[in-house]
Amino acid sequence: MISRMYSRFCQTLPVPEGSNGVLVAFSGGLDSTVLLVLAAQFAREQGLRLRALHVHHGLSPHADAWVRHCEGVCQQLAVPLIVEWVTLERGNGESLEAQARKVRYQRLAARLGEGEWLLTAHHQDDQLETLLLALKRGAGLRGLAGIVPNQPFAAGRLLRPLLEVSRDELAELAASLPYGWVEDESNQDTEYDRNFLRQTLIPQLKARWPAMAQTAARSMALCAEQEALITELAEADWQGAGEGESLHIAPLLALSPVRRNNLLRHWIRLQGEEMPSRELLGLLWQEVALAREDANPCLSLKGRDCRRFQGRLYLVRPGLLPRQEVLPIRIGETISLPDELGLISLLSCAAGEGLRLPREDEPLTVRFGVAAGSMLKPVGRGGSRRLKKLLQEYGVPSWQRGRIPILYYGEQVAAMAGLFICDGFLAPRGGIDLHWQRAITPDNL
C-alpha cells in the first residue's frame, strides 16, 4: 500500500528544482507520521535535506511523552528533529486552539529556510471539516475554497500533499508501519467545533453519502477557481482605482454594487486586514465614501478605521491623537518620535536651501502643534495663514494633524517637517536640513 500512496504523494508535489530542503510539521499523530515517512523516502530519492519540527504546547499532561515519541520516530528515519517549546496565554480572549495554531505557524515560519518547502499533513477529511466550518461562519468564496494545496509561505512554500487522501486510507497505511503514533486526548473533546464535526457530524454524513468528502472537494476546487477569477477582476479594477495604500472613490461609482464590493474587499485584503461583514461593507460605502463633501467620516472596522480624504478611502490605526510632547534636539542629532511617527534629524547641509543657524537665545525643540490663533507664513507665500488652512492646502489628512513634527527656534515656528520652512528661517544656501524619516504605516502615508 505504501508504494501506491507514495506515488500519489509524489504526483502532488512540484518539481523540486530550486528547493533548498523540506521541513515537515510533525505532531507525532497518525497523519503527520505517514507524511514524515513519505517525505523521508522522497528526500532520499531527490537528494534533499529533510528536517521535522515538533511544537510542544504544554496543554496536555502527555506533551513531554509526545516529544520523546517524536524523537524516537525521527531517529529511526534518520531525520533531524527540532522541538519548539511554547507557552500559551489563557484568558486573553482568544481560544487556546486558535493560539496554538497561530504560534505553531509562527515557529514553522521562523525555521523555514530560503526556498525550502514546508509540508503539513492536512487530508481530504480536513477539507470537509474546513468547508462545514466555513458554511457555519457564512464565508465567501475564499473560505469555501478550503485549504490551499500550494502557496507561498515565509521564505519558501507551504505544500499539503495529502489533501486528496482520506483519513481512512492514512489510518490503514499507518497501521502497517512500525512507528506507532500519539493520540491527543483533546481531539475527543466535542466542545471544539472541529472535533464535533469530526466525531459526530461527519461520520453520519459519510455513512449516508460515502463519497461526501470527494464531492465536497470538487465543490471546493470550483470555489477556488471562481475566487481566482474574481481576484483577477479585482486586480484589474485596482489598477484604475488604487494609489499606494488608498482607494479613489470616483472609479468605484461606475462599478456595479457587486463589482464595487469585490474591489473594496480586495483593497482591505491587500492591507492585511480582516474582512468585514457585508453589513459593515455597506456602511463603509454609504457612510464614508458617500458622506457629504464637508464631512470627516470615520467607520471602525476590525482593527482599523476607514477614513475619507480628498476623494480617497484610507484604512488607518484607530485612536490617533494629536501629540503634546516637547522634544529638545541639537544640530547633528537624530531623535525618535513617539507613537510610531518615525525619526527626525537635524543635519548640516552644504548645498541647497536649508534652515538658518539658530541664535544662542533660540533653543531647538520638536513639537506637534502651535498656539491657538497662530499665523504662519511659509517661504514664498504672499501672506500668513492659520495652520489648519495650510494643512488643508498641503493635502494633509485630518488624522495626521497634530502628528507632524514642527521645528521651533525658541518659541517661533521655523519649519514643518516635509512641508515648508517659515519666512525668516531660510538660509540663502547651506544651513540645516530637517529630515523626517516616517515609519511605514498607513497612518503616515
Side-chain angles (χ1 to χ4, degrees), residues 356 359 362 367 406-415 425:
R356 66 169 175 80
R359 299 189 301 266
E362 294 178 319
R367 310 180 194 182
I406 302 173
L407 181 66
Y408 275 72
Y409 280 40
E411 293 302 313
Q412 298 295 312
V413 175
F425 293 90

Side-chain angles (χ1 to χ4, degrees), residues 59-101:
L59 297 176
S60 168
H62 307 295
D64 292 343
W66 295 346
V67 170
R68 292 192 294 272
H69 171 82
C70 291
E71 289 172 339
V73 173
C74 287
Q75 187 174 15
Q76 293 179 72
L77 291 170
V79 176
L81 176 66
I82 303 164
V83 179
E84 293 279 358
W85 303 72
V86 301
T87 302
L88 304 182
E89 298 179 23
R90 297 178 184 272
N92 71 344
E94 186 177 23
S95 71
L96 289 177
E97 187 181 25
Q99 279 192 65
R101 183 182 184 280

Side-chain angles (χ1 to χ4, degrees), residues 138-210:
L141 280 175
R142 181 174 288 261
L144 297 176
I147 304 169
V148 179
N150 183 338
Q151 65 187 95
F153 179 78
R157 298 199 71 81
L158 171 55
L159 307 178
R160 296 172 170 119
L162 302 180
L163 278 181
E164 296 182 4
V165 181
S166 71
R167 166 76 177 188
D168 290 341
E169 291 176 292
L170 292 173
E172 183 180 354
L173 176 55
S176 70
L177 298 173
Y179 309 108
W181 60 86
V182 302
E183 293 284 0
D184 186 344
E185 68 279 3
S186 70
N187 288 338
Q188 305 304 315
D189 185 356
T190 55
E191 289 298 312
Y192 295 111
D193 289 344
R194 192 173 284 275
N195 288 346
F196 170 75
L197 295 175
R198 185 177 301 162
Q199 304 296 335
T200 305
L201 183 58
I202 289 178
Q204 295 183 47
L205 292 173
K206 293 178 75 174
R208 179 65 181 260
W209 301 295

Side-chain angles (χ1 to χ4, degrees), residues 233-245:
L233 180 62
E235 287 173 349
D237 289 338
W238 170 255
Q239 295 303 314
E243 182 178 340
E245 300 284 338

Side-chain angles (χ1 to χ4, degrees), residues 112-362:
L112 195 67
E114 186 73 30
E116 199 169 15
W117 292 352
L118 169 62
L119 304 187
T120 65
H122 294 90
H123 50 77
Q124 195 174 75
D125 291 42
D126 291 326
Q127 278 284 42
L128 179 55
E129 293 167 10
T130 301
L131 175 62
L132 293 172
L133 290 171
L135 289 171
K136 180 185 78 75
R137 295 194 310 270
L141 280 175
R142 181 174 288 261
L144 297 176
I147 304 169
V148 179
N150 183 338
Q151 65 187 95
F153 179 78
R157 298 199 71 81
L158 171 55
L159 307 178
R160 296 172 170 119
L162 302 180
L163 278 181
E164 296 182 4
V165 181
S166 71
R167 166 76 177 188
D168 290 341
E169 291 176 292
L170 292 173
E172 183 180 354
L173 176 55
S176 70
L177 298 173
Y179 309 108
W181 60 86
V182 302
E183 293 284 0
D184 186 344
E185 68 279 3
S186 70
N187 288 338
Q188 305 304 315
D189 185 356
T190 55
E191 289 298 312
Y192 295 111
D193 289 344
R194 192 173 284 275
N195 288 346
F196 170 75
L197 295 175
R198 185 177 301 162
Q199 304 296 335
T200 305
L201 183 58
I202 289 178
Q204 295 183 47
L205 292 173
K206 293 178 75 174
R208 179 65 181 260
W209 301 295
M212 181 72 182
Q214 294 95 309
T215 55
R218 288 201 295 271
S219 294
M220 297 170 86
L222 290 172
C223 287
E225 288 184 4
Q226 296 300 312
E227 169 65 21
L229 182 61
I230 65 171
T231 298
E232 286 185 16
L233 180 62
E235 287 173 349
D237 289 338
W238 170 255
Q239 295 303 314
E243 182 178 340
E245 300 284 338
S246 66
L247 185 64
H248 285 273
I249 296 171
L252 274 69
L253 296 170
L255 301 179
S256 68
V258 172
R259 189 166 172 178
R260 181 183 67 231
N261 285 344
N262 185 46
L263 177 54
L264 287 170
R265 291 190 182 97
H266 184 72
W267 168 60
I268 293 169
R269 189 177 295 119
L270 283 177
Q271 298 187 60
E273 300 303 322
E274 288 189 51
M275 205 51 54
S277 65
R278 291 182 67 191
E279 180 183 6
L280 269 179
L281 206 62
L283 290 174
L284 185 159
W285 180 248
Q286 293 295 330
E287 297 186 4
V288 181
L290 299 184
R292 68 180 191 274
E293 286 298 320
D294 60 345
N296 183 22
C298 175
L299 177 69
S300 294
L301 302 178
K302 295 182 178 181
R304 289 281 169 178
D305 285 348
C306 184
R307 309 290 295 260
R308 187 191 69 188
F309 180 72
Q310 293 187 342
R312 286 191 275 170
L313 296 173
Y314 295 82
L315 290 179
V316 302
R317 181 161 51 93
L320 297 178
L321 299 173
R323 306 306 305 181
Q324 306 298 328
E325 292 84 354
V326 177
L327 308 173
I329 190 171
R330 295 181 301 228
I331 298 172
E333 187 177 21
T334 297
I335 62 173
S336 296
L337 300 175
D339 203 19
E340 301 181 17
L341 289 175
L343 304 172
I344 197 86
S345 303
L346 267 185
L347 305 174
S348 298
C349 57
E353 293 184 341
L355 289 150
R356 66 169 175 80
L357 292 173
R359 299 189 301 266
E360 289 187 5
D361 62 344
E362 294 178 319

